[in-house]
Amino acid sequence: MAISIAGGVRPGKVIEIERRLYNQLIVGKHKACAMPDELNLELEDNANKLDIERKALKRRIEKQTNENSVYLDVSAQLTNTVNCTIENTLTYPQMILDTSGSSESQILLLDLLLEPDVNINRLRPIIESISWLSRDLINLINNPTSVHLRPNHADVQVTDIKLGLNYIGIENLRLLIPYFCLRHWLPSDNANLFWVTRKLWRYSMISAIAAQALAKLQNKDPNLVYICALMYQFASSIILSQSGHIFDKIKGTWLSEASHGRDKQVYDAILATDFPAQAVLEQVMQHSHCLNWQLLSLLKFDDSPITQVLKELDQNYLFTELSVDAAMVAKASCYAKVLLLEEQQQIDPQEKRIMFDYYQFSEQELIRLKGQNFRKLDLL
């Protein structure tokens, strides 16, 4: 007789499959396709060029016994220095928050969007105070693909944020503001992390769209689970972003010193050293879920429903003990993991069934999710 694993303490197999997805996102070498509203298309060329140059340099170094010995020694020292700095940074949540680019005003916006009768006039001054958010919303309105958001499909360029917000409307803002916030927190300006960013962005969007669909199926308000599904990658995005900055800063310092010392072997060894993706994966697995809510707590949002859901997802070891909202976020995240692992043929049918059994998916839920368009947000 088969023993059910549904809803209890997460079995080792479920943990292993979930880790496999994060390994694919952070360490995996496959290059994901571009998403609609791509973060930085120009960076793709830089990322490809950097990858080609680094591989060519490594091949040349490996052919020279003496140079290869220098490379292995210098690269190990550099990687260890970077890893220790990242690990030390992550032990101080306040330090992470101070350099994360996230702020009280951003989280306040997310919280206000949960109110059923929130007024755009209350949101506008907060949006105006966040320059990148105002810019992103104006750019969206002026994009030719967004003509349906303008009255009578008018072909006009919008520059005033007040007018732009009125065009977009409150229901679309409930979708767009969390979307743009997570996009801002991702390491979108780092060529070393371009493919990681694209994969994590897609995983986040699939999770958010799945959470919306599950909420609507249960006749629940989808706003909280949609925001929480995106915020589930809040700390992961920040850890990756800060790790990228630490790597670039330390590597840049070492390159400068090697250049001044006119030591070409050491310079090339530093240049050929890869971003320590495996070590950063370990940090994400260890810290991300607890930092999701701890960083919000440091911003004085302990009582926010968003903080409460993220805290549940970190601290509740039994799926059956989660609230309805937290359970929907967990299910959405599970479905996104399975979908992405299937695309890379990294999960078999039995493992897929184990995941769906543990998170207690109904047949109706799976049918609804299978019919979703996970490529883009469904704007009104």
Side-chain angles (χ1 to χ4, degrees):
M1 180 180 176
I3 299 175
S4 173
I5 64 167
V9 175
R10 273 193 313 160
K13 189 62 178 176
V14 171
I15 295 172
E16 188 271 319
I17 294 169
E18 293 181 338
R19 181 186 173 87
R20 192 185 307 163
L21 184 277
Y22 276 97
N23 188 77
Q24 180 201 110
L25 297 179
I26 298 173
V27 181
K29 299 299 183 183
H30 83 276
K31 297 178 178 180
C33 296
M35 292 280 286
D37 193 25
E38 182 61 74
L39 293 154
N40 190 340
L41 286 172
E42 294 178 2
L43 197 63
E44 182 170 356
D45 290 336
N46 295 337
N48 283 322
K49 183 180 177 182
L50 182 66
D51 189 42
I52 292 168
E53 290 175 346
R54 188 179 289 136
K55 286 178 179 176
L57 183 56
K58 279 186 178 180
R59 283 195 296 269
R60 184 182 66 74
I61 289 173
E62 287 168 358
K63 290 178 182 177
Q64 305 294 326
T65 304
N66 184 46
E67 280 195 47
N68 193 44
S69 176
V70 171
Y71 164 70
L72 293 174
D73 184 42
V74 171
S75 183
Q77 291 181 48
L78 173 57
T79 300
N80 183 61
T81 301
V82 170
N83 290 343
C84 288
T85 305
I86 293 171
E87 187 173 349
N88 181 62
T89 300
L90 293 177
T91 59
Y92 300 98
Q94 186 64 55
M95 185 188 300
I96 300 168
L97 183 63
D98 292 342
T99 55
S100 68
S102 54
S103 66
E104 181 180 345
S105 58
Q106 295 163 23
I107 308 305
L108 176 59
L109 269 179
L110 300 183
D111 231 29
L112 290 173
L113 290 169
L114 297 176
E115 297 181 4
D117 55 353
V118 64
N119 191 296
I120 283 183
N121 291 329
R122 188 177 178 194
L123 301 178
R124 181 164 50 82
I126 306 173
I127 293 171
E128 288 176 333
S129 72
I130 306 171
S131 59
W132 56 263
L133 181 56
S134 298
R135 182 193 65 236
D136 285 350
L137 290 169
I138 289 292
N139 287 344
L140 174 77
I141 283 290
N142 291 326
N143 190 308
T145 62
S146 300
V147 67
H148 64 287
L149 294 175
R150 304 174 207 151
N152 301 319
H153 294 186
D155 187 16
V156 295
Q157 289 290 301
V158 177
T159 57
D160 178 59
I161 187 62
K162 180 178 180 180
L163 181 61
L165 294 179
N166 288 333
Y167 280 175
I168 294 170
I170 191 63
E171 292 308 316
N172 284 327
L173 287 173
R174 293 187 200 275
L175 299 178
L176 290 169
I177 289 176
Y179 173 94
F180 283 136
C181 281
L182 180 65
R183 197 176 72 164
H184 176 72
W185 296 322
L186 285 164
S188 56
D189 60 347
N190 192 312
N192 286 301
L193 291 168
F194 177 81
W195 300 109
V196 177
T197 298
R198 180 179 280 181
K199 288 183 284 185
L200 187 62
W201 179 236
R202 182 158 181 247
Y203 169 52
S204 302
M205 289 310 306
I206 293 172
S207 299
I209 293 168
Q212 273 186 319
L214 291 171
K216 291 175 181 176
L217 182 63
Q218 297 186 28
N219 294 316
K220 302 286 186 182
D221 184 350
N223 294 318
L224 176 59
V225 294
Y226 167 76
I227 291 174
C228 289
L230 289 174
M231 290 293 288
Y232 207 24
Q233 304 311 314
F234 173 51
S236 297
S237 302
I238 290 172
I239 291 171
L240 285 164
S241 186
Q242 295 200 7
S243 297
H245 287 310
I246 289 169
F247 176 72
D248 286 346
K249 183 178 180 180
I250 294 175
K251 187 175 181 178
T253 300
W254 284 38
L255 283 171
S256 178
E257 291 174 356
S259 178
H260 289 151
R262 300 183 182 279
D263 194 329
K264 189 175 188 311
Q265 284 190 345
V266 172
Y267 186 91
D268 286 349
I270 297 167
L271 203 60
T273 300
D274 289 314
F275 176 78
Q278 186 64 52
V280 172
L281 168 65
E282 300 303 327
Q283 298 299 332
V284 168
M285 298 305 295
Q286 180 180 348
H287 296 288
S288 61
H289 286 174
C290 59
L291 283 175
N292 277 337
W293 62 269
Q294 287 176 353
L295 296 178
L296 298 186
S297 181
L298 287 171
L299 289 169
K300 311 301 182 187
F301 285 90
D302 299 81
D303 296 329
S304 166
I306 301 169
T307 308
Q308 295 304 311
V309 168
L310 295 175
K311 192 171 185 178
E312 268 192 85
L313 291 167
D314 173 44
Q315 296 185 341
N316 283 23
Y317 295 103
L318 300 179
F319 176 76
T320 50
E321 293 183 357
L322 293 176
S323 65
V324 172
D325 292 319
M328 282 191 283
V329 174
K331 281 187 170 186
S333 178
C334 165
Y335 192 84
K337 290 182 177 78
V338 170
L339 187 65
L340 292 174
L341 288 171
E342 271 191 311
E343 287 182 354
Q344 297 301 311
Q345 299 180 331
Q346 292 184 10
I347 190 171
D348 61 41
Q350 184 179 2
E351 290 175 327
K352 181 178 174 181
R353 176 47 53 194
I354 287 172
M355 293 290 283
F356 289 160
D357 281 350
Y358 176 73
Y359 286 101
Q360 300 183 344
F361 278 91
S362 68
E363 184 177 354
Q364 188 180 18
E365 287 173 331
L366 292 173
I367 291 172
R368 176 64 64 90
L369 291 174
K370 191 173 182 179
Q372 293 299 304
N373 176 8
F374 289 109
R375 291 296 299 170
K376 63 179 183 178
L377 282 175
D378 184 19
L379 294 179
L380 298 176

